[in-house]
Structure formats: structure tokens, C-alpha cells
Amino acid sequence: MRKISLSNLDKAFALIAENAKLYIPVDGKGGASFKLWQEGVKMSDALNTVRSAKDFFFPQMETLMEFKTEGKNIEIIDNRQEKEDFVVFGVRACDVKSFEILDRVFLSEPVDSYYASRREKGVIVSLACGRPSETCFCKTFGIDAANPAGDITAWKTETDLYLLANTEKGEKLLSAISSITEDCDGKAVEEQKKQISAIMEKLPLSNVTTEKFGAGKTKEYFDSPAWDELSSHCLGCGTCTFVCPTCQCYDIKDFKTNEGVQRFRCWDSCMYSDFTLMAHGNSRASQKERFRQRFMHKLVYYPDNNDGMFSCVGCGRCLTKCPISMNIVKVMKTLGGKEND
Amino acid sequence: MINETLIPKLGVITEIRQDTPDIKTFRVVSPEGKKLFEHRPGQCAMLSIPGIGEAMFSITSSPTNTEYMEFSIKKCGCVTTWLHAAEPGQNVTVRGPYGNPFPVDDVFAGKDLLFVAGGVGLAPLRSVINYCRHYRDRYGKIDIVYGSRSKDDLLDYQEIINEWATDSGVNVHLTIDREQEGWDGHVGFVPNYVKELGFDTNKIAVLCGPPIMIKFTLEGLRSLGFEKTQVYTTLELRMKCGVGKCGRCNVGSKYVCKDGPVFRFDELDELPNEY
Ligand SMILES: Cc1cc2nc3c(=O)[nH]c(=O)nc-3n(C[C@H](O)[C@H](O)[C@H](O)COP(=O)(O)OP(=O)(O)OC[C@H]3O[C@@H](n4cnc5c(N)ncnc54)[C@H](O)[C@@H]3O)c2cc1C
Ligand code: SF4
Ligand code: SF4
Ligand code: FES
């Protein structure tokens, strides 16, 4: 394990930024967000960013290819490019886990080359959560806020930043800043881990369990009468899907430019009424059905297809952002029954 | 750069056949005049005109056709209307093949087969039917029940009359919804016709067509004694990616683009009723 004094952190950032684009969480008007590091940019102390870190690998909008058309002719232009090296610093445990969930979608055959090329170039430095909040329930999904994954795991104390490489990519990055870091024992880190675990135990959502959910539960929950009540106020605004680190639905659209046609992909939401609209009808005609889809996907369908892994990391974003205060915890408590309360 | 399924291949429309008032069949090859890619019966492909859009269609030609692919396309929206106005020589983009095919080489092998189609639902079945006709000795008796609104709405009519109906061991049963001048064949809806024909149950049945036709035909077959494990169909949901990633076409845990579009009715029973 290495450590660096917080007073030297800017130097470390500068060293990293020499070879790669470096993004760190920065405070802003609406909360924290990942920004490109430059001289003078200070790291946020906020627990997490408003938007998740999925943008780095699955951006809200990206061009897939271009076309030129003339008369009856079409030219297909594959303008995919090698991505640049980049480092994302300060990703929380829940969001790091979300990459694993997205990987299972985008890196399964046929591999999504756009996502894969960013995954290949990106280095993740995670940051343990010193002060988890009342909307956090990562523990429900087996995630340890005190010991996040990633290429490097970092722990921040009052005075120092402790760094531990978990992968080859992480080793490489650590060696790039070795001149300003020093070897250390992990005592301070062990201390912090204990503190974090103690906080986690006391969080209001610490008793939410996944026990009642997972693979093979479609029949049990699909026709539950609870969906009517749960979805009755949902506005179908899609906010929960956009802030969610594990939501991955997308649309593909064409855009005519002066030079030709750009085919781009953008985030879409299963909460939208036109998501499944077809000429002969809509397979999810009401908001109840769309609402049910989102939560059944996270709690049952995704586990069905992914060895029981859930498609929620308990980041709590949907808890804080839904305009009608509906969220996955309420769904789990209502469907799962009393034991889940 | 690794291969990317979302980036299509270039195709050229070499022939357009007006099949019915609202369905045209398009023959597509590569710019070099070759078949674009291999497929299995029942698989689909994404066709697109850049700037207009992309849409999924069954590959209606048989895999045994080594020269080209065909798509029978019903005019109903942006891409399809645009294609209906196109002329031979028009470029299109094509990607695929997508989805699971019919189990023609194992489950279907050695069995009597019953194909039931309504309207444009013949498009996916034509590929299977012609595959089975090509390897005629691998299959038993073949019955084809096909119906449309009117005689003019019957897809692939010439091929059905001149080729399918003249094959030995292939029985074609055509029907149209209402009486029409110049039609001396059967009149009536497909599900009723299937019941009237009263097939023995020692066979595999495949149904393709509008949801209402599928529903009543299945009921009819059940009353004749067919088990759900003997009956196949295809599902059609809104699609974008074709590879189980855009999250659009799932029914429960199954993605129609990747795990379908071919399903057996007992498999559908395991899924929520959301299609
Ligand atoms: C697996 C599969 C196989 C298909 N095979 C054939 C075929 O062989 N021949 C054929 O003519 N059609 C087929 N279709 C249907 C075809 O994909 C749609 O009709 C498609 O929307 C037409 O595109 P468009 O741009 O003309 O319509 P759009 O302009 O996109 O839409 C017109 C209307 O169709 C709706 N729509 C969008 N997607 C679909 C869809 N997948 N199915 C139905 N309606 C949709 C839109 O919401 C709108 O109401 C198939 C669909 C699937 C999923
Ligand atoms: S469903 Fe809510 S709590 Fe779970 S990962 Fe998505 S935004 Fe976070
Ligand atoms: S659950 Fe809340 S955030 Fe999600 S679509 Fe409904 S109203 Fe919007
Ligand atoms: S079309 Fe994208 S998941 Fe099926």
C-alpha cells in the first residue's frame, strides 16, 4: 500500500494528467459531477456525483457511424477511433460495481465495440465512502463501501490518501506517481474500514434484503396486485433510469447533417410510453407495465440471465431524484412483504 | 477495431416485386452481386436507409438460395414507405442475421409438418418451407394453410401455385376472408379452415400471422389434440439493436431479438403475457 499527503494531491493529479485525461468529482451548482482535472480544480467532498459514472463508458449520446448518400448510392463510414487513455478518480463502491453489471450486457457476444474500447482505455480509481448516507444500501447487494473494487482502491483520511493497486492497469498508474507517494502499513485504512462498517450497520436501509428476489421469480411477482398501487403516481419521466448507473437501454437514431447522415445512439428509458410502441399496438400499454418492467428487470430478469446478479447497486440516486418519491426500496419492501421492512 | 454488429453491410436492391397492394418483395445482394451473408430459416435482418431509419425484417428467402436474399415488406411506416417508393439499383444497408432459427435440422427432421400463415406472416415461413422443400426427403408430409383478406393479398401467389402446390407430398390450402370474383377456392378465416381440415396430430405445426389469428389457430389445434410442445410461432416486438442490449424487445427474461423470434408455445407459457 502507498500513501500520499493530501497537500501533495494536486501534484499527483498533475502527474497523472500528463499521460491521460483525468476526471475527478467536482462541486457545482446542482451537486457534484465528474470534470476534467486542470490546474486549480479541486476534488469534491460530496459522497457521490449526481449523475453516475456510466457516461465514461456508455455516454448519453455518441455517434456510431456516418453515411453519405447520393442518388441511389450509400457509403457507410466506419469512423470509430482508438479511444484516449483516461483515468476516473474517486468512483464510489456502488458505481464501480455498476461497471461489472454493464460489462455483462455490453461485453457479452456480440461485444459492443464502442463500450469495449472505452473500458479498455479507462482506469478506475475508486474511493472508499467515509460517510455513507441514509439513502445508501449498497450492502444489500453485497458491496462493501469500505473496500471498493476498481483498478486502484483509495481511502481518504484527514491528512492522507492511501492507495492500493488491484490490477495491472492500477499498478502502472501507481508507479507513475511513485515519486510522490510512499510505502505505508495499512493501519489507518483498517481503522477507517471499521468506522465505515459501523456506520453501515446503523443506516436506515441496512435491513433491506434481496432474499425474496432473484432468478426464477417472474411468476411470483409479475401479476402481483401491488404494481397498481406502486406505479399509480409514476409520471413516466424517466429520471430514475437516467440517473441509474446500471440502466442501459438505448435508442439508435439518424441525424441529417450538411455532409451526410450521422447514426447515433442515446440513452432511452423503458419508462417512456413510445419505448415499445408498434404499428399494431404497444406491448406495455400502461405506465403500470412500464414501471413493472424497470423493477422486474433489476430484481428478476437480469438475475435470470446473469447467474443471480442483481441490476441495482443500491446507490440511492433514484431515492433522492424521483419527483414522486417512488423507488426500488419501496418496491422491494412492498413486494417482499413484512420481513423486508 | 473489432467487428461491430451495429455497423451494417452495404446491399443493393436488384429486383422489386409488387406482391400484394401493400407488400413488395425486395431482392438484395452485395455490391459485388453476391449473397450478403448466410442465415438459417426464421432469422431476421436489420435493413436501413440512412436518414430514414432502420427496421427488422424476416429473411424470407431460403438459406438454400445461394445467390441472394429476399425480404417481403409491408408498407406501414417511415422505412417501409420509403422502400416501397425505391427502384432497383437502390443501395440499402443490411446487418444480421439475428435471432434463433426454427429447429429444422433436429426437431423438424423426419416429421410431418403443418405451416399456418396469415397475411405477411408468410414471410418468415417461406424461408422454412423452401428449406424443407429443398431437402424434401428429410421431412414427411407438408401441409400449408395460408390465408389473406383477398386473393390480391396473398403473398408469393405465383410461387405457391406453380411450385409448392405441384410438389409431391406438399398440400397447399389457400383461403381468403370473403367471396371474390374469380376465386373458386376456400373462403373463410384461417383458424376455422384449419379446424375444418382437421389434421392428425402426429406432426409439428408452425403458426405465423396477426396475433388474433395465432390465438384462435392455437385454440383450434389444441381442440384437435395438438400439444403446445408441437406448435411453434414467432414473436414480433419493437427492436433497435437486434442483439439483446438496447433493452427493448424483452418478454420477461427473454429477448425476442436474441432468444426468439422463434418460440414454442410451451416456452411462451413460461413467460409473462406481455407481447
Ligand atoms: C423479428 C421481426 C420480424 C419482422 N419481419 C417483418 C417482415 O418480414 N415484413 C414486414 O413487413 N415487417 C416485418 N417486421 C415489422 C417491421 O419491423 C415493422 O413494421 C417496422 O416498424 C417497419 O418500419 P418503419 O420504419 O416503416 O415503421 P416506423 O415508421 O418505424 O413505424 C411505423 C409504425 O410502426 C411501429 N413500429 C416500430 N417498430 C415496429 C415493429 N418492430 N413491429 C411493428 N411495428 C413497429 C411504430 O411505432 C409506428 O407506429 C418484423 C418485425 C420484427 C420485430
Ligand atoms: S435502481 Fe436506484 S438505487 Fe439501484 S442502482 Fe439504480 S439508481 Fe441506484
Ligand atoms: S419512478 Fe419516479 S423517477 Fe422513475 S419514471 Fe416514475 S416518476 Fe419518474
Ligand atoms: S432489439 Fe435490442 S434488446 Fe432486442
Side-chain angles (χ1 to χ4, degrees):
Chain A
M1 187 174 292
R2 307 282 289 181
K3 81 170 180 181
I4 178 172
S5 151
L6 289 184
S7 57
N8 267 341
L9 199 53
D10 274 340
K11 278 194 201 140
F13 286 163
L15 275 177
I16 295 171
E18 274 176 20
N19 298 312
K21 288 220 154 92
L22 168 65
Y23 299 89
I24 64 169
V26 175
D27 286 322
K29 254 197 205 149
S33 61
F34 284 101
K35 289 262 157 67
L36 185 68
W37 181 86
Q38 288 161 320
E39 197 68 56
V41 173
K42 289 280 167 263
M43 189 157 85
S44 164
D45 269 331
L47 176 61
N48 212 346
T49 49
V50 174
R51 288 166 68 115
S52 81
K54 75 177 168 187
D55 286 75
F56 286 110
F57 305 109
F58 174 46
Q60 183 157 13
M61 180 142 113
E62 69 183 307
T63 302
L64 300 177
M65 69 205 83
E66 290 181 29
F67 302 95
K68 283 206 163 64
T69 55
E70 201 191 318
K72 290 178 176 175
N73 295 330
I74 296 172
E75 188 192 343
I76 303 168
I77 305 164
D78 175 2
N79 52 6
R80 288 177 296 161
Q81 268 156 16
E82 279 280 307
K83 297 287 184 296
E84 288 177 272
D85 287 323
F86 66 96
V87 176
V88 191
F89 192 99
V91 184
R92 299 297 186 175
C94 52
D95 288 359
V96 176
K97 178 74 175 184
S98 77
F99 304 145
E100 201 183 316
I101 292 163
L102 296 178
D103 282 355
R104 281 176 172 253
V105 175
F106 290 114
L107 299 184
S108 60
E109 285 296 327
V111 171
D112 186 287
S113 65
Y114 306 93
Y115 179 89
S117 61
R118 293 195 181 88
R119 271 306 254 148
E120 192 192 318
K121 295 293 177 178
V123 183
I124 307 295
V125 183
S126 66
L127 184 59
C129 306
R131 285 174 284 115
S133 85
E134 70 274 10
T135 55
C136 297
F137 58 112
C138 51
K139 194 162 140 266
T140 299
F141 299 99
I143 300 164
D144 187 356
N147 208 8
D151 296 302
I152 295 177
T153 307
W155 293 265
K156 196 165 150 234
T157 64
E158 294 288 313
T159 52
D160 297 285
L161 190 75
Y162 292 79
L163 299 158
L164 186 66
N166 306 315
T167 66
E168 220 171 278
K169 271 184 186 173
E171 299 277 6
K172 223 176 124 197
L173 188 69
L174 268 196
S175 67
I177 55 169
S178 61
S179 62
I180 51 170
T181 61
E182 58 187 274
D183 263 330
C184 65
D185 63 30
K187 265 195 195 138
V189 168
E190 288 314 312
E191 200 46 47
Q192 188 181 56
K193 283 186 185 172
K194 268 188 222 143
Q195 283 168 12
I196 296 172
S197 298
I199 301 174
M200 289 309 295
E201 291 302 321
K202 290 195 207 111
L203 288 180
L205 301 181
S206 65
N207 59 352
V208 180
T209 83
T210 57
E211 239 164 72
K212 294 287 180 80
F213 303 97
K217 303 273 188 186
T218 299
K219 289 242 151 102
E220 199 168 318
Y221 294 120
F222 192 84
D223 291 319
S224 164
W227 292 114
D228 290 302
E229 179 64 30
L230 284 167
S231 65
S232 61
H233 297 292
C234 175
L235 307 168
C237 66
T239 303
C240 51
T241 56
F242 285 100
V243 296
C244 179
T246 67
C247 274
Q248 108 281 324
C249 290
Y250 66 76
D251 196 2
I252 298 175
K253 284 192 165 126
D254 285 358
F255 174 72
K256 286 185 187 169
T257 66
N258 288 336
E259 282 85 54
V261 175
Q262 256 179 28
R263 179 160 293 167
F264 65 92
R265 131 163 101 193
C266 54
W267 294 352
D268 204 345
S269 174
C270 61
M271 287 292 203
Y272 291 159
S273 58
D274 60 358
F275 190 67
T276 48
L277 185 65
M278 292 180 292
H280 55 263
N282 194 336
S283 51
R284 296 186 204 121
S286 74
Q287 195 57 28
K288 169 185 154 182
E289 289 154 335
R290 304 190 271 272
F291 182 96
R292 175 171 60 192
Q293 161 63 22
R294 176 161 195 267
F295 296 102
M296 286 295 283
H297 177 247
K298 296 204 174 300
L299 299 169
V300 181
Y301 306 157
Y302 187 95
D304 262 339
N305 292 322
N306 293 282
D307 312 310
M309 190 192 254
F310 292 92
S311 175
C312 171
V313 294
C315 73
R317 286 187 178 87
C318 63
L319 279 74
T320 52
K321 290 296 170 197
C322 173
I324 57 142
S325 298
M326 182 37 71
N327 57 63
I328 194 162
V329 171
K330 285 189 182 165
V331 171
M332 290 170 82
K333 287 190 169 179
T334 306
L335 288 178
K338 283 223 155 41
E339 298 91 304
N340 243 331
D341 217 343
Chain B
M1 279 282 165
I2 58 167
N3 194 39
E4 172 55 63
T5 187
L6 296 179
I7 298 181
K9 293 187 161 69
L10 190 62
V12 185
I13 299 175
T14 53
E15 220 180 284
I16 303 174
R17 187 167 75 231
Q18 180 91 45
D19 250 306
T20 78
D22 58 2
I23 302 172
K24 284 187 176 182
T25 297
F26 298 80
R27 193 168 283 187
V28 178
V29 297
S30 73
E32 296 77 36
K34 299 249 163 51
K35 201 164 134 177
L36 275 165
F37 48 77
E38 298 299 323
H39 75 283
R40 307 285 303 146
Q43 286 190 302
C44 307
M46 275 283 190
L47 243 66
S48 127
I49 299 290
I52 309 299
E54 205 171 28
M56 191 69 100
F57 300 101
S58 306
I59 305 170
T60 187
S61 51
S62 166
T64 53
N65 180 326
T66 55
E67 289 164 26
Y68 53 80
M69 278 196 271
E70 280 186 338
F71 301 91
S72 288
I73 296 178
K74 187 170 169 163
K75 188 170 165 177
C76 74
C78 298
V79 175
T80 52
T81 303
W82 203 98
L83 282 170
H84 270 245
E87 289 170 4
Q90 173 65 46
N91 286 359
V92 290
T93 76
V94 190
R95 59 184 177 94
Y98 294 127
N100 281 324
F102 288 100
V104 281
D105 292 337
D106 37 64
V107 182
F108 289 15
K111 304 253 173 50
D112 285 356
L113 303 171
L114 166 62
F115 296 102
V116 184
V120 73
L122 188 67
L125 287 194
R126 179 173 169 240
S127 165
V128 199
I129 291 170
N130 280 334
Y131 183 89
C132 296
R133 286 179 57 242
H134 184 90
Y135 297 110
R136 191 64 199 88
D137 53 348
R138 293 188 195 167
Y139 304 94
K141 213 164 66 144
I142 295 177
D143 281 283
I144 300 164
V145 184
Y146 178 42
S148 254
R149 274 172 302 185
S150 71
K151 177 171 181 283
D152 307 322
D153 288 295
L154 290 168
L155 195 57
D156 307 309
Y157 186 65
Q158 290 310 324
E159 182 175 338
I160 296 173
I161 296 301
N162 299 336
E163 299 178 29
W164 300 1
T166 58
D167 265 14
S168 71
V170 178
N171 285 311
V172 176
H173 319 271
L174 296 178
T175 182
I176 60 175
D177 289 357
R178 273 172 296 275
E179 297 279 355
Q180 187 181 355
E181 242 185 36
W183 178 261
D184 54 8
H186 188 271
V187 176
F189 296 122
V190 169
N192 297 336
Y193 193 26
V194 169
K195 262 192 3 206
E196 278 169 39
L197 289 163
F199 297 97
D200 71 81
T201 59
N202 192 19
K203 51 165 63 74
I204 299 280
V206 184
L207 320 179
C208 271
I212 188 90
M213 180 215 95
I214 304 248
K215 180 165 179 265
F216 289 116
T217 306
L218 179 69
E219 280 174 18
L221 289 177
R222 297 279 288 151
S223 72
L224 291 175
F226 278 81
E227 296 295 331
K228 286 187 175 178
T229 48
Q230 293 170 264
V231 191
Y232 290 77
T233 191
T234 63
L235 291 189
E236 206 179 279
L237 290 185
R238 187 95 187 255
M239 293 184 182
K240 286 283 175 177
C241 69
V243 287
K245 300 187 200 285
C246 76
R248 197 166 306 259
C249 69
N250 72 298
V251 180
S253 314
K254 300 285 179 205
Y255 289 97
V256 175
C257 64
K258 184 174 102 193
D259 305 311
V262 174
F263 289 97
R264 225 171 43 210
F265 276 97
D266 61 308
E267 294 169 343
L268 288 182
D269 275 353
E270 294 303 309
L271 301 182
N273 185 13
E274 200 175 57
Y275 45 86

